Structure formats: C-alpha cells, structure tokens
Amino acid sequence: MNATELRASLGLAGIYALRMLGMFLILPVFAIYAKTLQGADNHTLIGIALGSYGLTQAILQLPLGMLSDRIGRKKVIYGGLLLFAIGSFVAAGAHDIATLTIGRVIQGAGAISAAITALLADLTREENRTKAMAMIGMSIGTTFAASLVLGPILAKYIGVNGIFALTGLLSLAALVGVWLIIPDPAQSRFHSDTEANAKRLPAVLKDGQLLRLNYGIFALHAAQMAMFVTVPFALIKTAHLDKSQHWQVYLPVTVIGFLLMVPAIIYGEKKARLKSVFIGAIALMTAAQLGMALALDSFWMIAVWLSLYFIAFNILEATLPSLISKIAPADAKGTAIGVYNTSQSFGLFLGAAAGGWLYSHYGPAGVFGFTTLLMLSWLVWSLGMQPPKAVRSVMLHIGESWQGDAEALSRELAGVAGVHEAAVVLADRVAYLKVSQRQWDEAEVRRLIDATF
C-alpha cells in the first residue's frame, strides 16, 4: 500500500470502529436500562426499541450506497454520521420508551456502511482492496468484543443515557475525522466488488448457495439480539450481579471465543475444510442455545453456554464473509455483500422484537426455544450447501484506453491454469478473478492484462 491508501484504510477503519462502538456499547445494558423508563412495563416494547435501529438500517443501507454514486461519498457519510449523532442525543434525553425508540430509529437512518466501503474502493487500488477491507472487518470484531466489556463499566460511571451521549460525540468526532483525515478521491466510480448493482440483484437473490448464507447471517444476529433482551436479566437473577459487573462474565467468554476461533479458521482455510468448520460452528451454536434454554437457573451453566456461544459466534462471523466472497459471482460480489448486510440488519430488528415479545409471554425459556429453532433450521439447511472452492479473489486494473472485447478477454483469463472464474467489467476498468489458493499461473494472467495497456 502507498501512503494515501494506508491513510485511507486506517482512517476509515477507525471511523467505522467509532461508529460501531457507539452502536455496540449499549448492547449488554440496554434492556435493563429500558426497563426503568416510562411505558416500558411491556418487554415487547423494549425489544422493539433495541431492534428498531436495525429496521431503518436495513431499509436505507442499499439506497444510501447508491445515492453516494450520484452526490458523492463524503456527503452521504457526513449526513449519516450527523443523523446517528442526533439519534444518540435523542436517546440520551429519553424518559420514556417511545422517545428512546425514536432515537434508535434516527440512529439507524445513518446507514453509511455501503458509502464507506465505496469510498474505500475509490481510494485504493484493486490489488490492495482486500487488505483494506480486512482492516475494517478487524475493527468491527475488535469493537464488538471491547464493547461487551466497556458497556457495563461505562454504565456504572456515566449511566446508559451518558453512553448514548458519548456515542453522539463519537459520531461527531468521526465526522470531523472524515473531513480532516480521509483524502478526497481523485475520481469516484462504481465498483462491482464493494457496491450493489440493481441489475445483478435478481441473480444474487436466486442463488441458492447465497440464500443459505443470507439466512444464516439473519438467524445469527436475530438470535444475538434476542439473547441480549434476556441474558442480562438472567445474570442478575442467578448471580445477583449488578449490570455494571456483567463485564466480569463477558470478558472471559469473549476472550475464550476469540482464542479458539483463530485455529478453527486457519484449519478451515488451509485444509479446504471450511464447510466442515462452518457446519460444526452452527451445530455448536444450536447446542449453546438449547443449553441456555434448559439451564437458565444456574449462573455457572450460563457462563459455560455463553463461552460455547462466543466460540461459535466468532467462527461464524469470520467464515460467513469469506464464504460470500468465494461463492458470489466474480462481478457481483458487492451486490451479494449488500444483500448479506441487509439480511443482517433485518435480523437485528426481528430478533430483538421477537425476543421481547417471547420474554413477555413465555419467559426466558420461550426466547431460547425460539433461538434454538432458528439455529436448528439454519443447521439443517446448511447441510446441503456445496463445499466452497479453495479460491481467493483477485482484481486487476484494465488499461484506461483499452476498448477490446471484454467477453473474449474474460474467456481467455478463465482458461488460464488455476483461474476458476473471470469477469472483465469495462465500466470498472477491472478484471475480477477467482484463483486457486494453492497455485495459479499469475505470469500468464499478467501478460494478458498487460496487453490492455
């Protein structure tokens, strides 16, 4: 990476992390706090308030990404961060559940993830884009784990309304960071690897392999939100832990989950056994949900099942994007990721709302019965998935003045040893390839690409 690419990658990863920190910090303490507000005697309303962020996020994510193509990336990002800040301050001042829900809805309207990845694509060369995206992915995972620990601690000192105010300030800090740190791209254009293309949506939505993964991320995050409507109350009941002490539970289980996730991912990628690791993680997640449904009377059993949950969760969070990249058509990766992210956001909303309703009518056992069925249905559907090919994505720039036959060049590139798929998109000036992880004739591919300059 050159200096500009590194600055853009680190800067956008940091800004993404600041915004995610604002979203994740309230997760472990939200339900307990919301219970104290006026009108929150109904647990269903608490779930809706928690998940309403995901609803507006899901609705606006793709449209705002497309809008950034027309009016500019930074304008959309500025607007999104400002909306997130406004929603945070509304939530901070809420004295009733309705106002808190309005604040969460406004927060979710700042759906800028697609615009951020598009800006990152504008500022990085094709050969370095995967590294840049990995930086953002790492920032999200680290922020989530840190938030589970920091959220309860901050709640003790500044309260949950103080956390909301802090998230508003963090969002404004991120806005200033975009202005001062992130370079302005010399040219903005559509990138098939990071942005959704409406013309490719039908193919992506009809792909059975991708549908399995989209359902998976929906179910995974629906179960996560339903859990966080329930687990905080179980920790108070079984261990008499104040919400400010819940970090003592979350810290060890998240560390264990991270440490055991790493060798599982390495094994799956290196040995081309990603499907086995993936299915095993879903089975472990199913067992963890069933275990919590049956053992919510024991603090130590909750801790054990939470540990298994975070092992499975971390593995699935890491493998799902990798599987999307391997399975999606080479020229529709951005569209596949857009649908995947939208599915995740809908899962956040529906999981929280369903979790709240089930808790009100059937108690914690009803919530974990629901999450167990979600995981079990995902497990059964995933058994029929095709093992992903041991491939990785490569993007190579096409000469700016070249006006040859894109389809013919695609066929030539696809015929090179070790190249599994190739798509030349003249509008992007890029050749998108999926190549063998073990060996491919890079020299021959470079020769064909060099002929376009």
Side-chain angles (χ1 to χ4, degrees):
M1 283 187 174
N2 59 35
T4 299
E5 289 174 319
L6 189 60
R7 176 183 168 191
S9 300
L10 291 174
L12 287 172
I15 287 160
Y16 215 112
L18 277 177
R19 183 172 169 277
M20 290 296 103
L21 189 66
M23 186 179 76
F24 291 144
L25 276 174
I26 57 95
L27 192 57
V29 293
F30 183 92
I32 298 170
Y33 166 73
K35 190 73 174 174
T36 66
L37 300 178
Q38 296 176 15
D41 51 330
N42 186 333
H43 218 85
T44 304
L45 297 178
I46 295 175
I48 291 173
L50 177 62
S52 56
Y53 172 94
L55 180 61
T56 44
Q57 186 88 2
I59 293 171
L60 295 175
Q61 193 164 183
L62 290 179
L64 287 180
M66 295 175 182
L67 181 64
S68 75
D69 289 330
R70 299 178 59 186
I71 69 171
R73 317 295 189 201
K74 284 194 172 183
K75 289 180 181 178
V76 170
I77 294 171
Y78 290 147
L81 289 171
L82 188 58
L83 277 173
F84 190 85
I86 292 170
S88 299
F89 293 132
V90 170
H95 297 289
D96 57 76
I97 195 68
T99 305
L100 181 62
T101 303
I102 291 170
R104 295 286 289 165
V105 167
I106 298 171
Q107 279 185 317
I112 58 171
S113 57
I116 287 179
T117 53
L119 178 58
L120 186 65
D122 286 338
L123 294 169
T124 54
R125 289 169 293 172
E126 290 80 7
E127 59 267 30
N128 291 324
R129 199 164 298 151
T130 301
K131 299 175 187 175
M133 293 297 295
M135 291 182 186
I136 287 182
M138 289 173 61
S139 75
I140 296 172
T142 304
T143 301
F144 174 69
S147 296
L148 292 181
V149 176
L150 291 175
I153 296 174
L154 286 171
K156 177 180 180 180
Y157 292 103
I158 63 175
V160 177
N161 56 340
I163 294 178
F164 275 118
L166 176 62
T167 63
L169 294 174
L170 288 175
S171 186
L172 294 177
L175 192 155
V176 174
V178 173
W179 176 42
L180 296 178
I181 298 172
I182 308 304
D184 292 314
Q187 180 183 11
S188 289
R189 63 186 182 195
F190 181 84
H191 305 274
S192 295
D193 60 311
T194 60
E195 297 181 72
N197 182 349
K199 295 179 180 178
R200 300 293 281 139
L201 271 174
V204 168
L205 293 174
K206 292 176 184 176
D207 190 309
Q209 299 300 309
L210 291 176
L211 281 176
R212 284 185 174 90
L213 301 180
N214 292 331
Y215 178 74
I217 195 63
F218 166 86
L220 182 64
H221 283 271
Q224 178 196 52
M225 297 302 278
M227 279 181 59
F228 278 105
V229 172
T230 308
V231 168
F233 295 103
L235 293 177
I236 292 173
K237 180 181 178 181
T238 59
H240 307 291
L241 285 175
D242 182 77
K243 68 177 183 291
S244 64
Q245 298 174 304
H246 288 189
W247 69 269
Q248 298 171 13
V249 178
Y250 295 130
L251 177 59
V253 298
T254 53
V255 169
I256 290 170
F258 177 78
L259 292 177
L260 295 181
M261 172 268 289
V262 174
I265 297 301
I266 293 174
Y267 171 78
E269 291 284 0
K270 295 292 185 183
K271 302 294 184 181
R273 299 295 301 274
L274 204 54
K275 178 183 176 180
S276 299
V277 171
F278 183 67
I279 297 295
I282 301 173
L284 181 61
M285 176 69 76
T286 306
Q289 298 297 327
L290 180 60
M292 282 189 275
L294 299 174
L296 282 175
D297 294 332
S298 167
F299 167 74
W300 291 109
M301 290 308 299
I302 291 173
V304 168
W305 292 119
L306 276 177
S307 297
L308 296 178
Y309 167 82
F310 277 105
I311 293 169
F313 181 84
N314 287 338
I315 292 172
L316 293 168
E317 276 284 286
T319 54
L320 277 165
S322 176
L323 288 168
I324 288 283
S325 180
K326 294 177 189 299
I327 292 172
D331 61 341
K333 180 181 172 184
T335 306
I337 291 173
V339 173
Y340 170 88
N341 288 336
T342 300
S343 301
Q344 175 180 326
S345 295
F346 273 122
L348 294 174
F349 169 68
L350 291 174
W357 185 85
L358 287 165
Y359 191 93
S360 294
H361 290 82
Y362 303 102
V367 175
F368 284 107
F370 164 69
T371 58
T372 300
L373 289 175
L374 269 180
M375 293 302 106
L376 186 61
S377 64
W378 184 18
L379 176 62
V380 171
W381 196 8
S382 295
L383 291 174
M385 72 179 286
Q386 298 173 6
K389 296 178 181 178
V391 297
R392 61 186 178 89
S393 296
V394 173
M395 290 172 283
L396 298 171
H397 188 66
I398 299 295
E400 293 293 337
S401 60
W402 187 76
Q403 294 297 328
D405 188 334
E407 291 186 8
L409 180 56
S410 298
R411 288 192 296 270
E412 285 187 82
L413 291 168
V416 175
V419 177
H420 291 261
E421 188 179 345
V424 175
V425 182
L426 276 182
D428 294 4
R429 312 307 301 183
V430 172
Y432 297 100
L433 285 74
K434 290 185 181 179
V435 303
S436 173
Q437 287 182 339
R438 294 190 177 90
Q439 187 176 4
W440 59 290
D441 192 346
E442 185 175 1
E444 177 61 12
V445 168
R446 296 282 181 185
R447 185 189 69 78
L448 291 171
I449 294 297
D450 287 343
T452 68
F453 285 87

